[in-house]
């Protein structure tokens, strides 16, 4: 009869005795390694089922070197973006016989290091990580995993210091397309939320990009897309229209409120994160303004709530499930013996145009802003 759930389950030795085979034969069968004849394998599996034997995954991984488990490290499993990403990873992993262990870091590098060490101790076969690391001084934990034979695949963002497979979207092109829609509607005073988390707004474009290069790859790419669109439209860069500082909704409210109070105020806002959009909406309400009549809005990470807003919001939709599924497939292929491509696997996003963009209201005669000279074409960033 199956073992009582209130007591320790049957051992491999007990399964071996029931099947009439040696312990080594039972271990190979239940651990899924080495050769066992079909006849003996059938006897062992029948005995295991009869006794209610359940393999200990850690013990099996220690004897075979394979745990059939992937480790996943993301910023926040409560974030809808990462939740969708994890669904894609989990679905693909399950189809190929792998379980998933998920850890959150909240963009804290120390927590990422600790999470990586946990996964190494758990003997996972591979790791998928949305890393908070920014340079070569911050990637020792991921190199340690690789040195132990645990392949690593990056997802959502690249890390310049690591020559690894990364599954991402074209953030720069997505941002550029969004800002182009605002430009086409007639906007020239376009706010960017959010920029680098520095204490004071950089005074020049060069300083801004230098600060962005010390930030997450995704944020820097979206900033470059914003600047690309301004360049193409011969709109001068204005540091007053780029939010910097802590990446919080509260900070967004303050920064967008500041942009709305400028003499030549912002007429459109491009938000690169969900908190950026909700903070912008709060700032508009606080100022007694509405969208799209007073300020046009476009955001990143489309969701159900954006579609049911009134008016519904124009948003960039990332293929979150596909990103996760692709990351898992790349890692599982490597575990299956494929050579790492060490390349950027780039998926396309979609701009979903709804009703949050309208032309700016005409400026009353005599209140036109002073003219400015746009940056020359050669100033475009690489």
């Amino acid at each position: 009869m199956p073992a009582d759930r209130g007591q320790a389950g049957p051992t491999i030795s007990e399964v071996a005795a029931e099947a009439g085979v040696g312990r080594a034969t039972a271990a190979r069968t239940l651990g899924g390694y080495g050769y066992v004849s079909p006849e003996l394998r059938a006897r062992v599996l029948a005995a295991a089922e009869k006794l209610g034997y359940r393999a200990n995954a850690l013990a099996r991984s220690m004897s075979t070197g394979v745990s059939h488990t992937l480790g996943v490290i993301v910023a926040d499993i409560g974030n809808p973006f990462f939740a969708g990403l994890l669904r894609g990873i989990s679905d693909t992993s399950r189809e190929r016989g792998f379980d998933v262990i998920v850890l959150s870091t909240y963009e804290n590098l120390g927590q990422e290091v600790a999470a990586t060490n946990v996964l190494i101790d758990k003997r996972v076969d591979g790791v998928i990580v949305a890393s908070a690391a920014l340079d070569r001084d911050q990637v020792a934990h991921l190199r340690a995993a690789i040195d132990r034979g645990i392949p690593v695949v990056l997802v959502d963002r690249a890390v310049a210091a690591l020559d690894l497979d990364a599954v991402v979207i074209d953030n720069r092109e997505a941002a550029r397309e969004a800002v182009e829609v605002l430009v086409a509607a007639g906007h020239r005073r376009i706010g960017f939320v959010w920029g680098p988390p520095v204490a004071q707004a950089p005074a020049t474009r060069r300083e801004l990009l230098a600060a962005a290069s010390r930030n997450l790859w995704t944020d820097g790419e979206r900033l470059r897309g914003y600047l690309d669109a301004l360049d193409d439209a011969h709109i001068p860069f204005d540091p007053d229209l780029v939010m910097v500082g802590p990446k919080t909704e509260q900070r967004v409210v303050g920064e967008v409120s500041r942009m709305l109070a400028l003499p030549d105020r912002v007429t459109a806002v491009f938000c690169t994160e969900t908190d950026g959009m909700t903070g912008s909406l709060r700032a508009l309400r606080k100022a007694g303004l509405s969208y799209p009549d007073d300020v046009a809005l476009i955001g990143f990470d489309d969701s159900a709530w954006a579609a049911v807003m009134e008016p519904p919001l124009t948003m960039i939709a990332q293929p979150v499930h596909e990103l996760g599924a692709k990351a898992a497939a790349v890692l599982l292929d490597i575990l299956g013996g494929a050579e790492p491509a060490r390349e950027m696997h780039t998926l396309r996003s979609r701009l979903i145009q709804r009703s949050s963009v309208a032309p700016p209201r005409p400026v009353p005669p005599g209140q036109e802003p002073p003219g400015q000279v746009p940056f020359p074409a050669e100033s475009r960033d690489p």
Side-chain angles (χ1 to χ4, degrees):
M1 293 181 64
D4 187 336
R5 290 184 183 274
Q7 302 175 0
T11 65
I12 289 179
S13 295
E14 290 171 334
V15 173
E18 177 70 26
V21 301
R23 187 184 186 286
T25 299
R28 287 198 301 272
T29 301
L30 298 172
Y33 65 95
Y35 175 76
V36 180
S37 70
E39 178 189 351
L40 294 182
R41 182 180 299 278
R43 282 164 54 185
V44 171
L45 293 177
E49 183 177 359
K50 178 181 178 180
L51 296 177
Y53 174 84
R54 185 175 185 274
N56 182 293
L58 179 58
R60 182 175 60 203
S61 71
M62 292 176 68
S63 62
T64 65
V66 177
S67 66
H68 289 282
T69 303
L70 303 183
V72 181
I73 302 173
V74 296
D76 181 6
I77 58 175
N79 183 310
F81 170 81
F82 287 112
L85 193 77
L86 290 171
R87 181 65 180 270
I89 293 171
S90 178
D91 287 348
T92 299
S93 300
R94 185 171 57 249
E95 289 171 1
R96 294 173 63 168
F98 280 72
D99 295 320
V100 175
I101 298 174
V102 182
L103 297 171
S104 284
T105 65
Y106 306 100
E107 302 289 14
N108 181 288
L109 186 63
Q111 292 193 37
E112 180 178 318
V113 172
T116 304
N117 290 333
V118 167
L119 295 176
I120 291 174
D121 290 343
K122 293 289 186 183
R123 297 175 180 268
V124 298
D125 297 321
V127 172
I128 298 171
V129 57
S131 181
L134 305 179
D135 55 47
R136 65 182 65 257
D137 295 330
Q138 299 180 339
V139 297
H141 58 296
L142 297 178
R143 293 195 187 280
I146 296 167
D147 289 343
R148 288 172 176 258
I150 302 174
V152 175
V153 169
L154 304 173
V155 69
D156 179 49
R157 72 276 302 255
V159 179
L162 291 171
D163 184 22
L164 299 174
D165 285 279
V167 181
V168 299
I169 69 161
D170 190 339
N171 286 277
R172 185 169 182 169
E173 182 57 31
R176 176 177 177 169
E177 182 182 1
V179 178
E180 284 176 342
V181 168
L182 296 172
V183 171
H187 294 277
R188 295 180 63 82
R189 301 290 290 168
I190 302 170
F192 181 83
V193 176
W194 48 51
V198 293
Q200 185 173 356
T204 68
R205 180 193 187 106
R206 183 183 298 275
E207 290 176 357
L208 177 66
L209 288 169
S213 69
R214 298 187 294 271
N215 197 17
L216 290 178
W217 177 83
T218 47
D219 292 346
E221 288 295 287
R222 292 171 189 180
L223 175 60
R224 286 178 173 82
Y226 164 78
L227 295 174
D228 287 345
L230 297 186
D231 286 346
D232 291 342
H234 304 293
I235 297 173
F237 161 67
D238 185 345
D240 283 339
L241 299 188
V242 176
M243 170 193 153
V244 299
K247 297 178 177 181
T248 65
E249 184 178 310
Q250 181 179 5
R251 177 70 177 187
V252 175
V253 173
E255 284 288 281
V256 174
S257 296
R258 177 188 59 76
M259 295 179 195
L260 291 170
L262 292 171
D264 186 13
R265 75 168 180 83
V266 72
T267 65
V269 177
F270 172 50
C271 306
T272 64
E273 299 285 350
T274 299
D275 285 349
M277 177 59 81
T278 55
S280 296
L281 290 168
R282 290 184 187 279
L284 288 180
R285 181 180 299 175
K286 180 180 177 182
L289 301 175
S290 64
Y291 74 91
D293 295 336
D294 298 304
V295 177
L297 294 174
I298 295 182
F300 240 94
D301 294 334
D302 188 43
S303 61
W305 70 265
V308 299
M309 289 288 291
E310 187 56 47
L313 296 166
T314 294
M315 302 287 282
I316 295 169
Q318 298 196 66
V320 288
H321 187 278
E322 188 180 353
L323 280 167
K326 179 66 174 178
V330 170
L331 181 57
L332 291 167
D333 286 348
I334 294 172
L335 291 172
E339 190 70 22
R342 304 184 188 282
E343 67 180 28
M344 203 91 78
H345 305 267
T346 304
L347 307 183
R348 285 196 60 82
S349 59
R350 290 186 303 123
L351 179 65
I352 302 178
Q353 297 199 42
R354 297 192 178 103
S355 306
S356 60
V357 177
R361 287 181 169 175
V363 178
Q367 297 185 22
E368 296 87 352
Q372 294 175 296
V373 179
F375 279 82
E378 59 268 22
S379 69
R380 181 182 297 278
D381 314 295

